[in-house]
Each structure stands twice: as C-alpha cells, then as structure tokens.
Amino acid sequence: MREAFRELFRRATGFAPYPYQERLALEPWPELLHAPTGLGKTAAVSLAWLFKRGWRAGGKAEPEKDTPRRLVWCLPMRALAEQTKAAASTFLHRLGVLGEAGEGKVSVHLLMGGEPDLKSWAEHPEEDMILIGTQDMLLSRALMRGYGMSRYQWPVHFALLHNDALWALDEVQLMGNGLATACQLEALRRKLGTLLPARTLWISATLHRDWLATVDLRPHLDGMRTLAPDEDDKTRAGHLFSARKSLAKADVSLVRTTKGEQKRYLDALAEFVLAQHVEGSTTIVIANRVARAQEIFARIQKARGALHDLLLHSRFRPAERITFARRLTQERDEDRIIVATQAIEAGVDVSSRTLITELAPFSSLVQRFGRCNRYGEHEDAHVFWVDIADEAGADGALPYDAEALARARARLEALDEAGLDALGEVDEPPPWSRVLRRKDLVELFDTDPDLSGFDVDVSPWVRGEGAPELAVFWRDFRGNPNGPEPEPLPAREELCPASIGQARELFKAFGERGHALWRWDALAARWEKLSRGEELRPGLVLLAPASSGGYDATLGLTPASRAPVPVVMGSARTHEAYGSDWRSHAAAPVPLDAHLADARKEAERLCMALGIAHTNLDGIGVLGEVVPRAARWHDVGKAHPVFQAFLHGMEAEAAREADKEGRLAARVQGKPLLAKAGESAAQEKARPHFRHELASMLAWLAVHDDPACPDAKVDLIAWLVLAHHGKVRMRLRALPGESSPSEEGRRFARGVWEGDTLPGFAFDGERISALSLSLEIMELGLGKQGRSWSERAQELLARLGPFRLAMLEALVRLADWRASARAGGQGASGVR
C-alpha cells in the first residue's frame, strides 16, 4: 500500500511524498490536519482522498467505505479556490483520471457563483469528484440559501454537500463565523444522521483544537485525531523552517481615520514602500482594506509607472483574476511591487524579498509572513509591520477588532525575526462570535421566502468578519435589460464581488449619472430596477449597464469611475422563473406514461449505484422501493387540463377563456397525455404560477392516504412528489398574481383549484381512475384529509432530519432530470 501511494503521489506531483502525507493516505482519516504553509496540504489531502477512493497509478481498487465520493474544498478566499482547482486538475490529469462529470472518471468543479455547475456535477452523485469553492458559496449552499444560484436548486446542493461529502476546510483561522458554522454542521450531521457518510477535516498552520469547541461539537473533541508533520518531515523541509527574515516596525502608522489623516498616512506609506523596495526583486505590501490597497497602488503607479507592478484584492472579476494569477508566477523574476489585501494571505504561491504589512491578528500575520522568503531563496529578506494605533479606533481596525490588533502588537514588539521557528505557537481566542443552532438549521430547511418576500439572512453564519457580499456584472444594453428578451444569467467570469456598502455606493453613483442597478425577480420573470431604500441581501446578483462605469480592470470595483466597463462574454443560460417549465420541452413530444416509467427506472439505477437500494429508512420503507415509487408518480399532475393545454400548444388567452367557462378539460379530452412537448408548446399556461407537482401530490394522497390511519411512507412519497422541482415544499399557499376561481370560498394554491379533476389513465403498472383534487390539506388543523400539509412536513423533517430528507428529495429530482435527458429533453443546467 505504501509503495502504491508513493507511486501515485510521484506521478501526480513529480515529487516523493512527505512522511505526514503518507500517513494521511494510509491511516484512518484524522479530524485535524496541522501543517505549515508550503508543506503541500493541497496535494496531501487531494491525493490521500483519491487513494482512499481506490484510484491507483495503474487502475482502480475497492474504495474505503468511510471515504465519501465528494471531496469538498472549502476555502476563505477566491484566489485560493482558483489555485486549488488548478492544482487538483493538474494532479488528476497527470494520473490520467481527470474527466468530465458523467464520464466515470474524477471531475473537478469550481463553485463560485454564476458558474453553470448544476448539470456538471449535481447530476452525478454516484461519481467521485472534487468540489472547490469559497466559504461564502459553499456554506451558503450548506445552509439552504446558496449565493449566486437559483433558489429552486438550493435543496439539491444542500443534499449533496451533506451526504457522501468530505469537507476539507483550509486556512480555518481566516473563516470567522464560518468556522463555527462548519463545526456545528458536522455536529448536527452526527446527531441528526445522513443518508450517506459525511465527515470534516479542519486544516491550518495555526489551528487550535479549542477553536472547534462549539456547543454541539464540544462533546466530540476528545475523540478527534490530529495529524501533524513530525521531525522527519521537518528534516526534509528544512528550508521552510530555517528561512531567515528580519522583522521590524515601520516608521509609518495609522493614528486617526479622518480624511486628512488617511491621506497623510497613505502618502507616507507609499513613500516608505518605495524606499524599502530593492530593485530587481519582489516587494509585497498588504493592506487590510480594499480602498486603502487601491489608494496605495495608485500612488506607487504614479511614482514608478512600472510595467510589472500588480494590485490584488477580492473586488475583481474572475476574468481579470485569471490574468493576475498567471502574472504572479510568470513574472516572479521581474522588478515589481505587489499591493494586496488578505486575498494574498493564504495559499497564494508567491514569495518576496521585502514584505510590508498593516497590523492584523497574529494568526493572519503568520500567514502573511509566509509570503516573504517562502523558499529560503534570499539571504537578506525583511518584514516590516505598520502599526494601526489604538487611537484609530474601531474604524481603523476594520475588518478586525481592536483587541486582536493589540494582542498582535504586543507579540510583534518582542520579536525581531519572522521565520517559522521564531514565531512560536499562535495563542488566539476562537475567531468566531456567532453559532448556528439546530433550530436555525431546521428553520432554514423551508425555502419559501417570508410574506414580505425576503429570506433569512445567513451571512452572519457564513463569514461574520467583514461586510456580507453580493455580486455585480456589467452588460451592454440601452435603457431596459428586459427587451426584447431579458438579459441572460451571468457567467462566472463576469461577476465582481461587492460588499453591501459598496453596492450602495454604486447605486448612489449610478443615480447621479441617470442610470440604475437591476435585480432578477423570479416570480415576475424579469429584471426589476433597484429602488431607493430597497434592502440589499447577501448573495444578490445585480446587473449594471456597462456605460455607467463603476469598474476598472486595473483597480477593480471603483464606484467613482465613469469610464465604460469592458464587458466579458456573457452566458447562454436562461433564468429559471417560478412559473417556468423548461424541462417540459423536448425535441419531440414524450408520452406521460413513458416518462413516468423512465423516471422510475432512473431512480432504481441511482439507488443501486449509491448502494442504498436495500436500506430500510427508519422503519418507513426500503429506499429501493420508496424512491422509485415517488419517481413513478412525480408528474402524474401533468395530466391536469391546464398543463395538457400548455403542452398541446393551446394559446394562453384561449385556454384562460375555456378554463373560466369550465370547458378546458373538454378541449383537451381525447388528446394523448404528454409529459414533454416538442416545438408546439404554448408560451405560457392558462393559470399563472400553475405547479403540476402540487396536482401530482394531491392525486397521490387522493389514492393512497387514509386520514384515520396516518402512514409515514405515504407522507414521504407525497413530499418527494411535491418537492421535485424545489418550488413547492413545506408550505401550501397562494402566490401574488394567481388567478382565482370565480366561486366564493373555493380554495386555490399554485394554480391548482379545489375540485379540479384529473383524467383516469394507466402508467408503469399502475392505474388511476378520474379523481377530484382537494386542497383542504392546506388548512391548519385536522380536516377530512386528516393532518394539514404543514404538520405532515414538519413531522417528516423531525423524523428523518434535514440531511436525509433532502437527499431523498434530490434523488427523485435527479431521476426526473436523467429521464428527461434520455428522452431528448434538457438536463439540469438550463442551457438551451
């Protein structure tokens, strides 16, 4: 086994593994990995996971049962995520196992918002793959509020990130409240159960076990195993531990944050940088705020005009960051000054002869110091720290707190050397202040917005430190982005991260120029102009007209800039509006009974591939029977006359008139029942917001439910049928803009009316007679249908827990997607 791993590691990296990397691959998984910067953590974890999954340099062996199929790299910064993707892809390519999802190899996926990744990885839960993303993108999805993606896909990503997933959390000292959230999620998975195994690996050069002591994980700490480099590792990596770099306090400091004092400070700091820079070498300057980094860089550019100088921070589009990443490595021997923020703090493979950094928490400074003389290549390397005085107050300390800076200052004043051996242990309190509780997670399982149209803000649990983020992208359009067709969704390369404060600055600047920002309204299926006073939420994606400015390819997000923004090529993806049913379009019509049979077969294949076909779920039933049965019934509601009129191409206005007069069923009677339409489908349905999955669920209950004898299996299948598009789940209620029946007191919700009838038909070995749909289940309390839907859903959630229930929901959705794809329909991505 040892030789097999060494061969795999050598082929993947070109080097022999360190002893700790071998132990990680050959011994049981630890929970904590303590490894200094530069010691190959990405290769260690990625290749240990690959080896434990059975991949070998010359073939495939049986995977270890406790190693999940998905390796999830959760990283605090975008630059680190992009670098990890490049490294992982290189390893797999050298081994000959890199492939696309669906090819039976190992695929790599970057989840960073705007990425058309729904089809590329979520459709293949049975395959080995590496998912990489920032904590914002991954933790928001793990909390059922995924940033930068369709809300209707939240449950699928939630399920796949909590089942069959190994979370590798790197540079945890930078995660803030995200660290506590990851700890709580691990504890809650252990407590509430998952359908497939999941585990977490916490990784850092400055990791303290006590940082993991959240309320629910604390009882597990004593049983957690730590793996760290030993003396053999240190002997082999001696150049990392012995690299010398002097440490001194700069004769510049930030004392006050008034406008005049800020200018004097920035002028003095730029002069100090220019004086300390050694011609022909690299100097790195690290500021704590993006605005300060931009100002320092502008001053240095004005003084030097140097071709190779570079500004790095988090407020750039990926299109520009890719170029910067290439320049970091290709221009390493050039005379250059790199001005950066925390974006350079972790994992970025760059070294300098001189490093100048603003004061930061000591754990962050240890990471920053690692960017100086990283490989021991300089005999006279120097680190300078720039004080942020107590008098600067909370504003000056941001994004950190003044107490953390005071502790770091006290330690630095006692040091004159910044090498690994000189810095000693990091002794910091936990970097988080807010903890996710079980009640919070259960409430987040409901994906419906509240009555005011807003969602729970998960940003305090996702990051905590600094301002919550949203994203902005620029397109060429005049006036209104909705005509003649709405501007499509952005590609990942277009998205520029912004804090909510920066978005407000942009809104104000655009208003002064007579322009606007736009947000997508899924219910109205159009871009809506952002209004004054409108609440901005984390994860929101805003559209800006390129002619309005607000972005500079060299400086990044700059609300004051009026220059037109170069547009990055947009995506072909279309929006998923609430009332849309684009998966019901195919190259040719597909009979309803055939699609239901295909979905059942796909569900059976999925259960077998994941090894859960014979699992008996909490006494409810065998999964190899429950999931396929739900898949067989999932689209029965498409037999509803409203949906059949839509698929057979009946124009919406004529269909509405026939529906109003009670003649719609007669108009479609005798036509074949379809699940998918070809080019003949109408543009819209007779009833706004009609959801066929609600009709399917009501039909299932009409046939199988016995109010006098509650059955968890019946309720579970009803849930899986109802939730298979992610648009109707925990609650049944009417939506704004629905058409209502003319009869007073007749219930209606999501386009389904009390007393609607479905025709009888046979499908995949079952037969239903014509039946009338009842919506009494939407009422609270006991009725003729027994318990309300809300009560049944809450009972299922309490019995199975969110992780198992979501995974079952995802399996039925995936079976539907696969059946649609086999019939010549569309997959999950939404690309037409």
Side-chain angles (χ1 to χ4, degrees):
M1 291 285 282
R2 188 175 302 275
E3 282 304 317
F5 177 70
R6 288 175 175 172
E7 177 60 21
L8 178 136
F9 197 95
R10 276 193 294 265
R11 286 200 190 182
T13 67
F15 304 100
Y18 286 112
Y20 91 92
Q21 293 170 325
E22 290 186 9
R23 297 199 304 276
L24 187 62
L26 302 177
E27 297 174 4
W29 282 110
E31 283 75 26
L32 292 84
L33 177 60
H34 191 292
T37 298
L39 216 58
K41 292 176 292 183
T42 302
V45 176
S46 299
L47 295 175
W49 168 81
L50 192 70
F51 190 78
K52 288 174 180 286
R53 284 299 304 164
W55 296 92
R56 301 290 183 266
K60 186 82 161 63
E62 190 69 22
E64 294 184 6
K65 294 187 182 300
D66 64 346
T67 297
R69 289 178 173 87
R70 284 177 290 284
L71 172 61
V72 183
W73 275 106
C74 181
L75 306 161
M77 297 177 182
R78 287 171 178 78
L80 191 52
E82 290 160 344
Q83 181 176 308
T84 301
K85 180 182 185 293
S89 299
T90 298
F91 299 152
L92 298 174
H93 176 72
R94 289 173 176 172
L95 292 167
V97 300
L98 177 65
E100 298 294 332
E103 293 181 353
K105 293 186 174 183
V106 184
S107 53
V108 182
H109 308 272
L110 191 64
L111 280 61
M112 289 179 65
E115 179 79 356
D117 57 27
L118 299 176
K119 178 178 173 58
S120 64
W121 72 273
E123 284 193 343
H124 301 280
E126 75 277 27
E127 290 190 352
D128 292 343
M129 56 183 63
I130 300 176
L131 308 179
I132 303 164
T134 61
Q135 68 188 75
D136 301 79
M137 289 300 158
L138 287 170
L139 288 180
S140 65
R141 297 178 195 214
L143 293 173
M144 197 76 90
R145 291 296 183 278
Y147 291 172
M149 63 178 291
S150 166
R151 66 183 306 116
Y152 310 123
Q153 303 292 344
W154 288 347
V156 177
H157 286 219
F158 176 89
L160 298 181
L161 289 172
H162 288 297
N163 291 271
D164 226 353
L166 166 60
W167 281 72
L169 298 141
D170 197 9
E171 307 293 0
V172 299
Q173 78 283 351
L174 301 176
M175 290 184 65
N177 287 349
L179 173 58
T181 299
C183 292
Q184 282 296 98
L185 290 173
E186 171 63 22
L188 291 172
R189 285 192 292 265
R190 296 183 182 200
K191 181 178 292 187
L192 302 176
T194 58
L195 199 61
L196 292 159
R199 62 185 310 124
T200 303
L201 178 64
W202 289 273
I203 311 165
S204 177
T206 55
L207 177 60
H208 272 265
R209 181 182 293 259
D210 290 347
W211 290 358
L212 312 184
T214 58
V215 59
D216 289 302
L217 193 61
R218 188 181 299 115
H220 301 281
L221 286 185
D222 288 344
M224 289 186 174
R225 180 171 170 263
T226 300
L227 190 149
D230 58 18
E231 290 305 317
D232 289 341
D233 293 292
K234 292 179 180 179
T235 298
R236 277 195 51 191
H239 62 288
L240 295 177
F241 291 88
S242 61
R244 313 323 301 174
K245 34 198 159 183
S246 68
L247 178 65
K249 182 180 179 181
D251 57 10
V252 178
S253 62
L254 176 62
V255 179
R256 283 176 292 276
T257 56
T258 62
K259 189 172 182 179
E261 179 60 30
Q262 287 260 30
K263 182 180 184 303
R264 284 190 289 273
Y265 165 72
L266 294 168
D267 289 342
L269 182 53
E271 290 179 11
F272 181 81
V273 170
L274 293 168
Q276 297 301 323
H277 175 66
V278 177
E279 188 176 348
S281 72
T282 294
T283 293
I284 294 177
V285 185
I286 306 178
N288 294 343
R289 305 294 300 274
V290 170
R292 286 209 289 265
Q294 289 174 322
E295 292 282 354
I296 294 166
F297 183 76
R299 286 163 168 78
I300 290 172
Q301 280 280 286
K302 185 176 180 181
R304 277 168 51 92
L307 178 64
H308 301 289
D309 289 351
L310 195 59
L311 175 64
L312 299 175
H313 56 71
S314 60
R315 302 313 190 220
F316 280 104
R317 299 180 297 195
E320 281 76 33
R321 289 202 303 271
I322 291 170
T323 301
F324 298 158
R326 183 170 60 249
R327 288 181 57 191
L328 274 178
T329 55
Q330 291 180 350
E331 300 175 6
R332 65 174 71 242
D333 295 326
E334 302 291 344
D335 178 273
R336 61 182 182 172
I337 297 176
I338 299 171
V339 180
T341 61
Q342 297 91 321
I344 205 171
E345 193 170 304
V348 178
D349 187 14
V350 63
S351 183
S352 64
R353 181 172 178 174
T354 306
L355 185 137
I356 301 164
T357 174
E358 290 186 324
L359 184 65
F362 193 71
S363 59
S364 293
L365 291 172
V366 171
Q367 299 294 327
R368 296 182 185 190
F369 295 169
R371 307 296 159 242
C372 180
N373 207 16
R374 183 174 171 88
Y375 306 108
E377 68 272 30
H378 300 293
E379 293 183 1
D380 56 343
H382 305 283
V383 174
F384 297 93
W385 60 277
V386 179
D387 195 20
I388 297 176
D390 291 337
E391 293 84 350
D395 286 346
L398 286 173
Y400 309 112
D401 66 77
E403 290 184 6
L405 298 192
R407 289 193 298 270
R409 184 188 302 115
R411 291 198 63 170
L412 291 178
E413 287 174 340
L415 296 171
D416 59 7
E417 172 65 35
L420 278 175
D421 289 340
L423 294 176
E425 291 293 321
V426 174
D427 185 17
E428 295 267 340
W432 43 264
S433 59
R434 182 164 175 174
V435 177
L436 177 85
R437 303 302 295 266
R438 175 176 177 171
K439 177 177 179 291
D440 301 320
L441 182 67
V442 170
E443 290 177 352
L444 288 168
F445 194 77
D446 185 353
T447 53
D448 271 357
D450 62 26
L451 292 174
S452 64
F454 289 100
D455 292 297
V456 176
D457 179 10
V458 297
S459 63
W461 295 309
V462 167
R463 186 171 289 273
E465 295 295 337
E469 289 192 354
L470 41 75
V472 184
F473 71 105
W474 286 260
R475 289 275 174 81
D476 278 321
F477 62 89
R478 291 185 179 276
N480 193 313
N482 291 299
E485 292 291 331
E487 285 287 331
L489 288 171
R492 185 182 69 83
E493 290 74 18
E494 296 179 82
L495 291 173
C496 177
S499 69
I500 287 177
Q502 288 169 323
R504 291 195 182 108
E505 287 182 44
L506 206 57
F507 176 84
K508 181 180 178 182
F510 278 21
E512 292 170 353
R513 298 166 201 165
H515 294 119
L517 287 169
W518 302 77
R519 60 170 177 79
W520 178 251
D521 185 329
L523 203 59
R526 58 181 284 111
W527 290 100
E528 297 288 354
K529 189 181 295 186
L530 198 65
S531 60
R532 184 179 300 277
E534 183 174 346
E535 184 176 346
L536 296 173
R537 67 178 188 275
L540 192 66
V541 176
L542 298 174
L543 169 62
S547 59
S548 296
Y551 184 88
D552 182 274
T554 302
L555 296 175
L557 185 69
T558 47
S561 173
R562 291 175 173 267
V565 179
V567 174
V568 177
M569 182 63 67
S571 167
R573 291 191 304 148
T574 54
H575 299 276
E576 184 174 7
Y578 183 85
S580 68
D581 273 293
W582 52 265
R583 291 189 186 87
S584 294
H585 294 267
V590 178
L592 180 55
D593 58 348
H595 176 63
L596 296 176
D598 288 345
R600 186 263 306 163
K601 293 172 186 174
E602 292 297 339
E604 289 174 342
R605 292 188 185 105
L606 271 170
C607 289
M608 289 296 294
L610 293 172
I612 59 172
H614 304 294
T615 300
N616 193 312
L617 184 67
D618 199 32
I620 292 177
V622 177
L623 292 183
E625 298 173 1
V626 171
V627 176
R629 189 84 185 277
R632 175 187 287 154
W633 274 79
H634 79 287
D635 271 355
V636 164
K638 285 187 174 181
H640 194 290
V642 167
F643 209 86
Q644 287 302 303
F646 163 69
L647 292 179
H648 282 285
M650 190 173 179
E651 289 303 320
E653 198 56 46
R656 288 192 191 101
E657 191 63 30
D659 190 31
K660 182 179 179 181
E661 297 172 357
R663 298 183 294 102
L664 189 59
R667 292 285 301 272
V668 297
Q669 187 175 7
K671 296 181 182 292
L673 293 177
L674 299 178
K676 314 283 180 186
E679 296 179 358
S680 62
Q683 292 297 311
E684 57 181 289
K685 305 182 192 75
R687 299 179 190 172
H689 310 321
F690 178 86
R691 296 312 314 166
H692 66 273
E693 59 267 37
L694 174 55
S696 300
M697 185 269 273
L698 296 175
W700 165 262
L701 290 179
V703 175
H704 297 95
D705 191 35
D706 182 356
C709 186
D711 187 334
K713 182 176 179 180
V714 170
D715 288 344
L716 176 58
I717 293 177
W719 168 273
L720 299 179
V721 169
L722 179 67
H724 81 268
H725 280 294
K727 296 182 178 181
V728 197
R729 299 176 71 247
M730 298 289 290
R731 288 180 274 173
L732 301 183
R733 67 183 186 201
L735 295 177
E738 282 199 43
S739 57
S740 58
S742 56
E743 299 89 343
E744 184 71 26
R746 187 178 178 185
R747 300 181 187 93
F748 65 97
R750 316 296 171 110
V752 178
W753 298 353
E754 179 84 21
D756 281 351
T757 59
L758 293 189
F761 70 104
F763 56 98
D764 196 32
E766 296 199 41
R767 175 180 291 277
I768 61 171
S769 302
L771 52 85
S772 175
L773 303 180
S774 173
L775 278 166
E776 187 178 4
I777 199 172
M778 69 187 287
E779 306 282 359
L780 296 177
L782 289 172
K784 292 180 181 178
Q785 286 185 281
R787 297 156 299 145
S788 69
W789 177 248
S790 177
E791 184 178 346
R792 295 181 193 220
Q794 291 294 343
E795 287 178 1
L796 281 172
L797 182 56
R799 180 167 183 171
L800 298 179
F803 309 122
R804 293 193 293 177
L805 186 55
M807 189 64 194
L808 294 172
E809 178 182 339
L811 291 177
V812 174
R813 294 185 73 172
L814 292 172
D816 180 26
W817 295 353
R818 290 185 175 190
S820 298
R822 288 184 185 278
Q826 298 169 26
S829 69
V831 179
R832 298 192 179 185

